[in-house]
Amino acid sequence: MTFSRVVALAGGVGGAKLATGLQAALPPGALTVVVNTGDDFEHWGLTICPDLDTVIYNLAGIHNPATGWGRAHETGHVLQAMSELGGEDWFRLGDRDLALHLRRTEWLRQGISLSEVTDRLRRGFGIPSTVLPMCDEPVRTLVHTDEGDLPFQHYFVRRRCEPLLIDLSYVGAEEARVPDVVHEAIRAAQVIVFCPSNPYLSLDPILSVPSMRRLLRDARAWKIAVTPIVGGEAIKGPAAKMMREMGQMISPLTVVDHFADLLDAFVLDNADGVLHDAVQLPTLITDTIMADLESKRRLAQEVLDFVAGLDGSGNLPATPPDARLPASS
Ligand code: FO1
């Protein structure tokens, strides 16, 4: 069974890795990645969209493998010069990366939508998949902490997620709308993959766009999430710390609960295989650690094969998810 219309919901590095695997496993053009823009911010007078860029660089195979974000073979002359001039230097923008921010900001100032700008950029990098922001309007994740409210990058990069998390809000979400291209991709999707991204920082902002939840819930696609939590730890980033601070169990089950009404199936890591019965959804148990291109492609292929087996044929579900009986796995 080969799927021709797959949507991935992604944040930064974890999402970009699985999206890269999906792109490798699917026919060219079959994948649409809908990306979190809650991390976006203005810096040095430029609009920076870190998760969109991380997805683009990974899909183009030009990302920095050491960090997962930014470009490979990067230099930092501008950052150093900026620092010498007393400019802000806590957010490490590389020289090559800077060209993308200049280009995007130039286009945005001409009144071109973020969706169109992103499409131009991904075409410029020769990426066969579609990459779309969750919305064209600015939505900014605001982190409420014991030290006060912090804009996302100030919490994440500048303060290294050290302040105690109290809550999150997605400022501007009420005025945002799902872009038509995102709407069409989700409506037409055969499979929707919730990538192993941070549920609160990466996937919740996407779900905060009005009508996005309903759109996903009503989509006639198999919806499957890959756990970002393995063996009681986040694969990358602060998800586990955030769960602890919000009084949640650090467990894949917290992720299942979090997206409960949206999911038809789940992917657990081998390390958490004992949780299989507790998930209460058809569950694939496999190695979810994506260290190289082959392991990204292998996990993506396993996810697609698992979904294809759910109704025996890989056909679109004939009945809404609520009416579907869990298949045994
Ligand atoms: N993350 C860091 O931890 N430190 C940085 O200096 C940093 C710079 C940076 C520059 C461009 C870019 O696209 C991403 C960058 N990131 C950096 C990653 C990014 O801010 C976060 O990983 C995401 O926003 C979370 O998904």
Side-chain angles (χ1 to χ4, degrees), residues 12 39 50-51 53 69 90-93 97 152-153 156-157:
D39 297 11
D51 285 359
D53 298 347
W69 49 265
W90 55 271
F91 194 77
R92 287 176 287 139
L93 287 179
D97 187 30
F152 176 80
Q153 296 296 346
F156 194 90
V157 174

Side-chain angles (χ1 to χ4, degrees), residues 17-220:
K17 283 184 172 184
L18 187 57
T20 304
L22 288 164
Q23 178 175 267
L26 287 163
L31 177 67
T32 297
V33 192
V34 177
V35 182
N36 169 42
T37 56
D39 297 11
D40 296 7
F41 72 131
E42 303 291 318
H43 191 67
W44 294 355
L46 304 171
T47 302
I48 317 289
C49 305
D51 285 359
L52 278 171
D53 298 347
T54 299
V55 168
I56 285 176
Y57 290 151
N58 276 263
L59 291 180
I62 57 169
H63 61 289
N64 178 344
T67 54
W69 49 265
R71 288 189 63 158
H73 313 298
E74 188 57 284
T75 51
H77 300 296
V78 175
L79 183 68
Q80 186 173 344
M82 185 62 88
S83 181
E84 286 161 8
L85 288 172
E88 296 208 63
D89 59 2
W90 55 271
F91 194 77
R92 287 176 287 139
L93 287 179
D95 298 332
R96 288 164 196 265
D97 187 30
L98 195 54
L100 185 154
H101 309 306
L102 288 163
R103 198 82 175 107
R104 172 166 45 223
T105 304
E106 182 185 12
W107 278 329
L108 288 173
R109 284 188 188 148
Q110 289 168 8
I112 299 165
S113 71
L114 185 59
S115 303
E116 171 58 22
V117 168
T118 306
D119 198 53
R120 289 184 184 186
L121 292 170
R122 72 96 190 165
R123 276 190 273 126
F125 286 112
I127 295 168
S129 307
T130 304
V131 181
L132 297 170
M134 65 192 200
C135 59
D136 287 319
E137 301 77 10
V139 172
R140 301 290 181 254
T141 298
L142 188 64
V143 189
H144 307 289
T145 77
D146 63 337
E147 299 181 19
D149 293 351
L150 294 172
F152 176 80
Q153 296 296 346
H154 287 250
Y155 167 77
F156 194 90
V157 174
R158 196 171 198 174
R159 296 301 323 281
R160 300 167 196 273
C161 307
E162 281 166 12
L164 204 77
L165 175 72
I166 297 170
D167 202 0
L168 293 152
S169 50
Y170 311 106
V171 180
E174 307 79 46
E175 284 84 52
R177 57 176 283 276
V178 178
D180 292 344
V181 272
V182 172
H183 197 275
E184 282 155 29
I186 291 175
R187 285 287 297 264
Q190 297 161 301
V191 183
I192 299 174
V193 181
F194 289 57
C195 288
S197 298
N198 187 308
Y200 316 108
L201 296 180
S202 298
L203 298 181
D204 279 358
I206 300 178
L207 299 179
S208 77
V209 179
S211 83
M212 186 71 88
R213 258 185 180 277
R214 186 162 29 88
L215 183 62
L216 288 165
R217 203 181 298 124
D218 295 348
R220 289 183 66 243

Side-chain angles (χ1 to χ4, degrees), residues 241-262:
K241 176 181 183 286
M242 297 176 81
M243 283 177 179
R244 191 180 310 116
E245 290 170 357
M246 290 194 293
Q248 309 264 17
M249 193 170 51
I250 303 169
S251 165
L253 299 180
T254 301
V255 182
V256 176
D257 269 4
H258 195 73
F259 298 121
D261 58 326
L262 299 174

